[in-house]
Structures are given as C-alpha cells and as structure tokens.
C-alpha cells in the first residue's frame, strides 16, 4: 500500500464529494474502476460518496474496496447496517488509512424517501465530515437542512457538510453566519453542467482555501455528476 501523508498540504485537508450513480456511467456501463481512477486524480484525504450502493436486493456496495486501499490508501468507514453495503441510504465516506483514529455515525434526517446523513470524526486534526444526499422536494430539503443546521449548532468542534443537496437555488439554504455555504461550481449534468447540486457547508473554525469542480475527461463520463473538491484550513475559532 502507498504511504500517504495526511499532513502534506500545509495544514489543509482536502475533501471531495461525489455522487457516483452506483458507478453507472453515461455509457450505461457499471464500471467501478473508473470511479477509483477519478479518486486517484483528485487525491483527497476524505471522500464523501452518494449512491455508493445498489438500490435493490442486498443493497450491495459497488466499489472495489481492495483496490481503494491497496492503490489509494482508502478505508471505508463503518456506517452501513447491511453486511454488503458500503454506506447508509447510499451515503458512504472514505478516509485515508493514516486517519485510522476516527469515529463514524449515522445521522437521522426527516424523510419520506430513504434519506439520511453519515458522519466521520477525525482525531488529528479534530474535524467532523458529514456526508448528505437530500430529498427531491423543496419542502423536505428545507426540513433536512434545518435538521443539519441544528447538528452544526450542537457541535463544539469544526464540522463540514458535503454532498448532493439536490438544490439549485442558493437562497434556499437556511444556514446562518458564521456558517458558510461553498459552491465550487456547476456539477450536474456531467456532460453539460448547468446546475450546482453539489456543495460544501463549513461550520465555525473552517475556511475554504480552494474549491473546484473536478472536470477530467474520465469524470465527464463516469457518472451524471462531477466530483467537487475543497481544501480547508483551520482558523482556530469554534
């Protein structure tokens, strides 16, 4: 396994979020290895995934965990309830193996369709990353975001939300200062991006150094979403 250094970005942590559509690309082929290759291009410390499991049957995960670990140094955090799943309601989180000291959690959200959030809290640095994939209706999305805002308010350590918010209108995000919403750019549809569904939300103590949409040739065909990436710094204020 490669020896990845989790502290080689001048104190910053790189986080990626990617709706992988169960590894089914725009050519309608399920090719998990394309997803692994794209994650290798991004080189994030923490990766939040949406639609990481199949929707029917055993809800089996779609990614080759052995390749993720042996080539990229990633381990899948333990958030699943089903033995073959990678995540919970399709939400999964990968962390570099040098972040071996971490805690994972499932976070209940208001829902009609199966939705929820998953969390990983790193020990060094002290950071919680919450992965989300919100509902399809504006009213339900608002309820879910208000629940997440309460989670942020209850935490006494830096927290970052990442995922597919399914919301194109930035005015509908209810988060209050000092919480900041970061939109790296248009991420859907991957072939001709027109909507910024995928975003980050930074709680107190965090600052975005860079944020962007990853637009490699491979990413433009491996899913209907493009991955988003952020490098965050710690301000020391919580």
């Amino acid at each position: 396994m490669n020896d990845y250094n989790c502290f080689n970005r001048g104190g910053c942590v790189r986080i990626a979020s990617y709706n992988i559509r169960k590894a089914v690309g725009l050519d309608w082929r399920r090719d998990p290895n394309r997803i692994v290759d794209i994650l290798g291009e991004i080189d994030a410390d923490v990766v939040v995934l949406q639609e990481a499991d199949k929707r029917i049957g055993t809800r089996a995960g779609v990614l080759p965990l052995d390749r993720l670990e042996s080539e990229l140094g990633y381990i899948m955090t333990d958030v699943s309830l089903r033995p073959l799943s990678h995540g919970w309601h399709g939400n999964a989180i990968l962390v570099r193996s040098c972040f071996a000291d971490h805690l994972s959690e499932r976070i209940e959200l208001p829902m009609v369709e199966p939705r929820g959030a998953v969390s990983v809290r790193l020990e060094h640095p002290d950071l919680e990353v919450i992965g989300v994939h919100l509902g399809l209706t504006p009213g339900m999305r608002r309820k879910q975001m208000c629940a997440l805002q309460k989670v942020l308010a209850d935490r006494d350590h830096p927290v970052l939300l990442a995922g597919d918010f399914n919301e194109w209108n930035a005015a509908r995000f209810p988060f209050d200062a000092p919480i900041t919403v970061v939109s790296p750019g248009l991420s859907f549809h991957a072939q001709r991006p027109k909507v910024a569904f995928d975003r980050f939300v930074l709680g107190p103590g965090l600052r975005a150094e860079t944020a962007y949409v990853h637009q490699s040739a491979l990413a433009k065909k491996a899913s209907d979403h493009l991955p988003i990436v952020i490098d965050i710094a710690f301000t020391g204020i919580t």
Side-chain angles (χ1 to χ4, degrees), residues 30-45:
R30 191 187 308 278
D31 188 349
N33 287 301
R34 288 191 292 207
I35 303 299
V36 177
D37 291 340
I38 291 164
L39 297 183
E41 295 172 349
I42 295 170
D43 188 32
D45 302 306

Side-chain angles (χ1 to χ4, degrees), residues 2 8 17 63 70 80 97 99-100 111 120 194 238:
N2 291 319
N8 60 356
S17 176
L63 293 174
S70 64
S80 65
S97 53
F99 290 125
M111 65 176 182
V120 62
K194 294 183 178 180
T238 57

Side-chain angles (χ1 to χ4, degrees), residues 135-156:
L136 298 177
T137 64
M140 185 53 65
R141 284 196 299 273
R142 180 166 183 84
K143 289 180 181 179
Q144 291 166 342
M145 283 192 275
C146 287
L148 289 166
Q149 181 168 279
K150 186 177 186 304
V151 170
L152 286 169
D154 289 343
R155 300 305 203 237
D156 61 358

Side-chain angles (χ1 to χ4, degrees), residues 19 22 50-51 55 88-91 106-118 131-137 140-141 144 164-166 225:
N19 184 329
K22 309 167 197 66
Q50 301 87 50
E51 299 192 22
R55 286 186 68 95
W88 187 51
H89 298 315
N91 297 300
R106 293 178 293 274
I107 299 173
E108 298 279 356
L109 295 178
M111 65 176 182
V112 174
E113 57 195 309
R115 299 285 173 176
V118 295
V132 305
H133 188 188
L134 299 190
L136 298 177
T137 64
M140 185 53 65
R141 284 196 299 273
Q144 291 166 342
D164 178 359
F165 286 81
N166 264 322
H225 285 248

Side-chain angles (χ1 to χ4, degrees), residues 95-111:
V95 298
R96 282 267 160 82
S97 53
C98 44
F99 290 125
D101 295 326
H102 66 265
L103 297 172
S104 55
E105 180 185 355
R106 293 178 293 274
I107 299 173
E108 298 279 356
L109 295 178
M111 65 176 182

